[in-house]
Amino acid sequence: MADLTYTPPKVWTWDQPNGGEFAGINRPTAGARFERELPRGQHPFQLHSLGTPNGQKVTIMLEELLAAGYEAEYDAWLISISDSDQFSSGFVSINPNSKIPALLDLSGPEPVRVFESGSILFHLAEKFGAFMPTSGPGRTECMNWLMWQMGSAPMLGGGFGHFYAYAPEKYQYPIDRYAMEAKRILDVADKRLGETRYLAGDEYTIADIAAYGWFGGFVRGDAYGDAATFLDVPSCENLMRWGEELGAREPVRRGRIVNRKGEGFVPERHSAADIDAVLNT
């Protein structure tokens, strides 16, 4: 058996990709790697994203706003992270962190850049006065659960998801370590949803939209291969009830398929007809 013991050097240096699905694009430095302007459509909101759990949060939110009658028309442009689109000068000008999603709000006198999925949800909720209480304890509780989700996502994705599904080799220690944390996070949600219909209380809010981006895949059973079985997600009955209820919402169904390639998906969205054409086939 190979010796798996690793002795860290005094000063870490990066000299080669470390393997895994995204090894070819990961580097320990920030900033643009090449010059390219981003396209711009005709709508007030220009979204540059990919339909990952974090990306789905924003398209679901925009579809919810549209369904509720708000003027939230948007263009959704595909950012292929495997092709390093997130390192273009245009994308970095919106999000210096080179992560999707990134939003350019053109609805006011000056363009406003918004990055990080939680910030985008908050920006849109505050702008339209929707899907978030406007004051008092309800607003604070909504923000509590939104920030809880933002803090939990790296444990589910970069932690559990990476070592369970994407790492070049499977090792028990990191999988066990992050599976334990993933199970704990799922249990937090399950216990909370045993108390209330939605995460922040009796009303559907951006806290639910944010959480569904991640938990929805576990509820549906399509996150990280067979991860839902591995983590015994169906035993979380309250979480399953909540996830199935949200998954049946029309705006959620619409938002989930945007900025994704393949049959049944919409790589770019520039009007409602783009999604209608897929869902109505």
Side-chain angles (χ1 to χ4, degrees), residues 2 20-21 43 64 68 90 93 108 135 137-139 141 168 177 187 213 232 237 248 253 258 261 272:
E21 185 168 336
H43 296 311
E64 289 281 9
S93 71
S135 63
R139 180 183 177 90
E141 189 70 358
R177 169 66 180 85
D187 195 44
D232 191 23
E237 296 180 0
R253 292 179 61 235
V258 177
K261 293 182 178 180

Side-chain angles (χ1 to χ4, degrees), residues 110-175:
E110 297 292 335
V112 176
R113 73 176 188 181
V114 198
F115 60 92
E116 295 298 328
S117 59
S119 179
I120 296 174
L121 293 180
F122 177 76
H123 174 81
L124 293 172
E126 192 168 50
K127 185 180 189 72
F128 291 103
F131 302 109
M132 181 178 68
T134 57
S135 63
R139 180 183 177 90
T140 300
E141 189 70 358
C142 177
M143 294 302 292
N144 287 342
W145 288 102
L146 174 64
M147 295 305 160
W148 167 79
Q149 188 284 316
M150 298 296 292
S152 299
M155 299 295 104
L156 295 174
F160 171 76
H162 174 78
F163 287 106
Y164 185 76
Y166 299 136
E169 297 180 13
K170 286 182 167 56
Y171 296 117
Q172 183 176 355
Y173 173 76
I175 291 176

Side-chain angles (χ1 to χ4, degrees), residues 59-122:
T59 47
I60 289 172
M61 177 63 169
L62 289 165
E63 290 295 325
E64 289 281 9
L65 288 167
L66 289 170
Y70 295 100
E71 296 182 2
E73 272 295 348
Y74 68 102
D75 292 282
W77 305 93
L78 180 67
I79 295 295
S80 175
I81 61 175
S82 61
D83 294 323
S84 298
D85 290 349
Q86 69 275 30
F87 299 111
S88 74
S89 57
F91 190 89
V92 172
S93 71
I94 300 179
N95 186 354
N97 196 37
S98 293
K99 302 289 185 181
I100 62 93
L103 180 73
L104 193 62
D105 181 351
L106 303 175
S107 63
E110 297 292 335
V112 176
R113 73 176 188 181
V114 198
F115 60 92
E116 295 298 328
S117 59
S119 179
I120 296 174
L121 293 180
F122 177 76

Side-chain angles (χ1 to χ4, degrees), residues 164 212 214-234 239-240 243-244 256:
Y164 185 76
Y212 184 81
W214 283 93
F215 294 138
F218 289 102
V219 170
R220 295 188 305 270
D222 57 18
Y224 306 119
D226 63 349
T229 299
F230 180 74
L231 296 174
D232 191 23
V233 177
L239 178 65
M240 293 294 291
E244 290 167 1
R256 277 191 54 231

Side-chain angles (χ1 to χ4, degrees), residues 182-190 215 218 231 233 236 239:
K183 289 280 288 184
R184 190 193 67 81
I185 290 168
L186 292 167
D187 195 44
V188 171
D190 190 59
F215 294 138
F218 289 102
L231 296 174
V233 177
C236 299
L239 178 65

